[in-house]
mmCIF file of all heavy atoms in Angstrom:
data_model
loop_
_atom_site.group_PDB
_atom_site.id
_atom_site.type_symbol
_atom_site.label_atom_id
_atom_site.label_comp_id
_atom_site.label_asym_id
_atom_site.label_seq_id
_atom_site.Cartn_x
_atom_site.Cartn_y
_atom_site.Cartn_z
ATOM 1 N N SER A 1 0.863 -1.180 0.000
ATOM 2 C CA SER A 1 0.000 0.000 0.000
ATOM 3 C C SER A 1 0.901 1.231 0.000
ATOM 4 O O SER A 1 1.844 1.313 0.796
ATOM 5 C CB SER A 1 -0.915 0.009 1.231
ATOM 6 O OG SER A 1 -1.816 -1.089 1.184
ATOM 7 N N LEU A 2 0.603 2.171 -0.891
ATOM 8 C CA LEU A 2 1.491 3.315 -1.094
ATOM 9 C C LEU A 2 0.835 4.642 -0.730
ATOM 10 O O LEU A 2 -0.361 4.841 -0.967
ATOM 11 C CB LEU A 2 1.930 3.409 -2.558
ATOM 12 C CG LEU A 2 2.619 2.213 -3.210
ATOM 13 C CD1 LEU A 2 3.024 2.571 -4.635
ATOM 14 C CD2 LEU A 2 3.817 1.762 -2.404
ATOM 15 N N LYS A 3 1.632 5.542 -0.191
ATOM 16 C CA LYS A 3 1.309 6.963 -0.188
ATOM 17 C C LYS A 3 2.227 7.603 -1.213
ATOM 18 O O LYS A 3 3.455 7.470 -1.118
ATOM 19 C CB LYS A 3 1.551 7.612 1.179
ATOM 20 C CG LYS A 3 1.363 9.135 1.114
ATOM 21 C CD LYS A 3 1.630 9.822 2.436
ATOM 22 C CE LYS A 3 1.498 11.339 2.288
ATOM 23 N NZ LYS A 3 1.700 12.050 3.579
ATOM 24 N N VAL A 4 1.659 8.266 -2.208
ATOM 25 C CA VAL A 4 2.451 8.906 -3.256
ATOM 26 C C VAL A 4 2.611 10.388 -2.914
ATOM 27 O O VAL A 4 1.633 11.124 -2.824
ATOM 28 C CB VAL A 4 1.788 8.748 -4.638
ATOM 29 C CG1 VAL A 4 2.610 9.451 -5.698
ATOM 30 C CG2 VAL A 4 1.635 7.269 -4.979
ATOM 31 N N TYR A 5 3.868 10.802 -2.723
ATOM 32 C CA TYR A 5 4.144 12.212 -2.438
ATOM 33 C C TYR A 5 4.127 13.042 -3.715
ATOM 34 O O TYR A 5 3.671 14.183 -3.736
ATOM 35 C CB TYR A 5 5.504 12.363 -1.756
ATOM 36 C CG TYR A 5 5.591 11.697 -0.414
ATOM 37 C CD1 TYR A 5 6.237 10.470 -0.264
ATOM 38 C CD2 TYR A 5 5.014 12.272 0.714
ATOM 39 C CE1 TYR A 5 6.315 9.837 0.965
ATOM 40 C CE2 TYR A 5 5.086 11.655 1.952
ATOM 41 C CZ TYR A 5 5.738 10.436 2.067
ATOM 42 O OH TYR A 5 5.809 9.811 3.292
ATOM 43 N N GLY A 6 4.661 12.466 -4.795
ATOM 44 C CA GLY A 6 4.732 13.182 -6.061
ATOM 45 C C GLY A 6 5.631 12.434 -7.019
ATOM 46 O O GLY A 6 6.164 11.364 -6.722
ATOM 47 N N ALA A 7 5.780 13.007 -8.208
ATOM 48 C CA ALA A 7 6.625 12.398 -9.236
ATOM 49 C C ALA A 7 7.317 13.511 -10.016
ATOM 50 O O ALA A 7 6.801 14.622 -10.141
ATOM 51 C CB ALA A 7 5.798 11.532 -10.173
ATOM 52 N N ARG A 8 8.494 13.175 -10.537
ATOM 53 C CA ARG A 8 9.288 14.205 -11.208
ATOM 54 C C ARG A 8 10.159 13.564 -12.289
ATOM 55 O O ARG A 8 10.680 12.455 -12.114
ATOM 56 C CB ARG A 8 10.166 14.938 -10.186
ATOM 57 C CG ARG A 8 10.992 16.081 -10.754
ATOM 58 C CD ARG A 8 11.590 16.922 -9.633
ATOM 59 N NE ARG A 8 10.566 17.642 -8.884
ATOM 60 C CZ ARG A 8 10.824 18.505 -7.905
ATOM 61 N NH1 ARG A 8 12.074 18.710 -7.538
ATOM 62 N NH2 ARG A 8 9.861 19.142 -7.294
ATOM 63 N N GLU A 9 10.286 14.273 -13.410
ATOM 64 C CA GLU A 9 11.191 13.839 -14.471
ATOM 65 C C GLU A 9 12.638 14.050 -14.031
ATOM 66 O O GLU A 9 12.991 15.096 -13.497
ATOM 67 C CB GLU A 9 10.938 14.638 -15.751
ATOM 68 C CG GLU A 9 9.560 14.438 -16.357
ATOM 69 C CD GLU A 9 9.413 13.080 -17.009
ATOM 70 O OE1 GLU A 9 10.436 12.373 -17.153
ATOM 71 O OE2 GLU A 9 8.286 12.709 -17.364
ATOM 72 N N LYS A 10 13.464 13.003 -14.233
ATOM 73 C CA LYS A 10 14.867 13.110 -13.855
ATOM 74 C C LYS A 10 15.703 12.186 -14.723
ATOM 75 O O LYS A 10 15.488 10.966 -14.730
ATOM 76 C CB LYS A 10 15.055 12.759 -12.371
ATOM 77 C CG LYS A 10 16.483 12.973 -11.869
ATOM 78 C CD LYS A 10 16.587 12.701 -10.377
ATOM 79 C CE LYS A 10 18.014 12.920 -9.874
ATOM 80 N NZ LYS A 10 18.124 12.638 -8.421
ATOM 81 N N GLU A 11 16.631 12.782 -15.459
ATOM 82 C CA GLU A 11 17.607 12.038 -16.258
ATOM 83 C C GLU A 11 16.946 11.029 -17.198
ATOM 84 O O GLU A 11 17.378 9.890 -17.335
ATOM 85 C CB GLU A 11 18.615 11.332 -15.340
ATOM 86 C CG GLU A 11 19.425 12.307 -14.486
ATOM 87 C CD GLU A 11 20.337 11.610 -13.498
ATOM 88 O OE1 GLU A 11 20.295 10.358 -13.434
ATOM 89 O OE2 GLU A 11 21.111 12.303 -12.806
ATOM 90 N N GLY A 12 15.851 11.450 -17.833
ATOM 91 C CA GLY A 12 15.190 10.614 -18.819
ATOM 92 C C GLY A 12 14.169 9.641 -18.257
ATOM 93 O O GLY A 12 13.510 8.924 -19.020
ATOM 94 N N TYR A 13 14.029 9.593 -16.940
ATOM 95 C CA TYR A 13 13.060 8.709 -16.296
ATOM 96 C C TYR A 13 12.080 9.545 -15.469
ATOM 97 O O TYR A 13 12.273 10.737 -15.267
ATOM 98 C CB TYR A 13 13.758 7.704 -15.379
ATOM 99 C CG TYR A 13 14.677 6.745 -16.104
ATOM 100 C CD1 TYR A 13 16.052 6.975 -16.157
ATOM 101 C CD2 TYR A 13 14.173 5.616 -16.737
ATOM 102 C CE1 TYR A 13 16.904 6.100 -16.825
ATOM 103 C CE2 TYR A 13 15.016 4.734 -17.411
ATOM 104 C CZ TYR A 13 16.377 4.982 -17.450
ATOM 105 O OH TYR A 13 17.208 4.118 -18.112
ATOM 106 N N THR A 14 11.021 8.896 -14.990
ATOM 107 C CA THR A 14 10.100 9.526 -14.051
ATOM 108 C C THR A 14 10.280 8.855 -12.696
ATOM 109 O O THR A 14 10.053 7.649 -12.564
ATOM 110 C CB THR A 14 8.636 9.385 -14.501
ATOM 111 O OG1 THR A 14 8.472 10.003 -15.774
ATOM 112 C CG2 THR A 14 7.709 10.063 -13.499
ATOM 113 N N GLU A 15 10.732 9.630 -11.719
ATOM 114 C CA GLU A 15 10.879 9.118 -10.362
ATOM 115 C C GLU A 15 9.594 9.384 -9.583
ATOM 116 O O GLU A 15 9.089 10.508 -9.573
ATOM 117 C CB GLU A 15 12.066 9.764 -9.657
ATOM 118 C CG GLU A 15 13.412 9.338 -10.224
ATOM 119 C CD GLU A 15 14.584 9.759 -9.364
ATOM 120 O OE1 GLU A 15 14.416 10.661 -8.508
ATOM 121 O OE2 GLU A 15 15.681 9.198 -9.537
ATOM 122 N N ILE A 16 9.077 8.331 -8.946
ATOM 123 C CA ILE A 16 7.874 8.450 -8.128
ATOM 124 C C ILE A 16 8.284 8.283 -6.667
ATOM 125 O O ILE A 16 8.905 7.287 -6.299
ATOM 126 C CB ILE A 16 6.827 7.395 -8.518
ATOM 127 C CG1 ILE A 16 6.531 7.467 -10.016
ATOM 128 C CG2 ILE A 16 5.546 7.588 -7.706
ATOM 129 C CD1 ILE A 16 5.590 6.378 -10.513
ATOM 130 N N TYR A 17 7.923 9.258 -5.843
ATOM 131 C CA TYR A 17 8.363 9.283 -4.448
ATOM 132 C C TYR A 17 7.203 8.815 -3.568
ATOM 133 O O TYR A 17 6.130 9.440 -3.546
ATOM 134 C CB TYR A 17 8.820 10.692 -4.077
ATOM 135 C CG TYR A 17 9.788 11.246 -5.097
ATOM 136 C CD1 TYR A 17 9.383 12.202 -6.036
ATOM 137 C CD2 TYR A 17 11.103 10.772 -5.170
ATOM 138 C CE1 TYR A 17 10.263 12.682 -6.993
ATOM 139 C CE2 TYR A 17 11.987 11.250 -6.127
ATOM 140 C CZ TYR A 17 11.562 12.200 -7.040
ATOM 141 O OH TYR A 17 12.436 12.661 -8.002
ATOM 142 N N VAL A 18 7.418 7.698 -2.860
ATOM 143 C CA VAL A 18 6.315 7.064 -2.138
ATOM 144 C C VAL A 18 6.756 6.628 -0.742
ATOM 145 O O VAL A 18 7.944 6.527 -0.449
ATOM 146 C CB VAL A 18 5.803 5.811 -2.888
ATOM 147 C CG1 VAL A 18 5.426 6.149 -4.320
ATOM 148 C CG2 VAL A 18 6.827 4.664 -2.875
ATOM 149 N N TRP A 19 5.751 6.363 0.093
ATOM 150 C CA TRP A 19 5.946 5.578 1.315
ATOM 151 C C TRP A 19 5.257 4.243 1.067
ATOM 152 O O TRP A 19 4.092 4.198 0.658
ATOM 153 C CB TRP A 19 5.343 6.260 2.532
ATOM 154 C CG TRP A 19 5.768 5.576 3.814
ATOM 155 C CD1 TRP A 19 5.338 4.372 4.294
ATOM 156 C CD2 TRP A 19 6.745 6.039 4.755
ATOM 157 N NE1 TRP A 19 5.976 4.047 5.467
ATOM 158 C CE2 TRP A 19 6.847 5.058 5.782
ATOM 159 C CE3 TRP A 19 7.527 7.192 4.829
ATOM 160 C CZ2 TRP A 19 7.693 5.193 6.868
ATOM 161 C CZ3 TRP A 19 8.381 7.324 5.918
ATOM 162 C CH2 TRP A 19 8.463 6.337 6.926
ATOM 163 N N ASP A 20 5.961 3.155 1.297
ATOM 164 C CA ASP A 20 5.442 1.820 1.016
ATOM 165 C C ASP A 20 5.290 1.017 2.291
ATOM 166 O O ASP A 20 6.260 0.816 3.027
ATOM 167 C CB ASP A 20 6.382 1.090 0.047
ATOM 168 C CG ASP A 20 5.976 -0.361 -0.173
ATOM 169 O OD1 ASP A 20 4.761 -0.613 -0.299
ATOM 170 O OD2 ASP A 20 6.867 -1.232 -0.214
ATOM 171 N N LEU A 21 4.070 0.554 2.560
ATOM 172 C CA LEU A 21 3.830 -0.437 3.606
ATOM 173 C C LEU A 21 3.666 -1.768 2.904
ATOM 174 O O LEU A 21 2.730 -1.964 2.118
ATOM 175 C CB LEU A 21 2.570 -0.107 4.407
ATOM 176 C CG LEU A 21 2.203 -1.141 5.481
ATOM 177 C CD1 LEU A 21 3.219 -1.126 6.609
ATOM 178 C CD2 LEU A 21 0.800 -0.894 6.021
ATOM 179 N N SER A 22 4.596 -2.690 3.139
ATOM 180 C CA SER A 22 4.593 -3.983 2.468
ATOM 181 C C SER A 22 4.514 -5.097 3.503
ATOM 182 O O SER A 22 5.200 -5.046 4.528
ATOM 183 C CB SER A 22 5.860 -4.151 1.623
ATOM 184 O OG SER A 22 5.867 -5.394 0.954
ATOM 185 N N GLY A 23 3.680 -6.086 3.233
ATOM 186 C CA GLY A 23 3.555 -7.206 4.155
ATOM 187 C C GLY A 23 3.359 -8.514 3.410
ATOM 188 O O GLY A 23 2.656 -8.562 2.394
ATOM 189 N N ASP A 24 4.000 -9.572 3.905
ATOM 190 C CA ASP A 24 3.824 -10.921 3.373
ATOM 191 C C ASP A 24 2.876 -11.665 4.310
ATOM 192 O O ASP A 24 3.162 -11.809 5.502
ATOM 193 C CB ASP A 24 5.166 -11.650 3.296
ATOM 194 C CG ASP A 24 6.168 -10.911 2.429
ATOM 195 O OD1 ASP A 24 5.822 -10.583 1.283
ATOM 196 O OD2 ASP A 24 7.287 -10.659 2.914
#
């Protein structure tokens, strides 16, 4: 489950800045 702070173009890619809660 993600919280997305934002996204930005950088060096030809799109970086997405998130907080990730991951569980198995």
Side-chain angles (χ1 to χ4, degrees):
S1 295
L2 304 183
K3 173 182 177 178
V4 179
Y5 297 102
R8 183 168 293 184
E9 296 287 350
K10 185 176 180 181
E11 298 175 357
Y13 296 98
T14 300
E15 291 191 342
I16 306 175
Y17 310 104
V18 305
W19 191 286
D20 174 41
L21 177 69
S22 181
D24 302 308

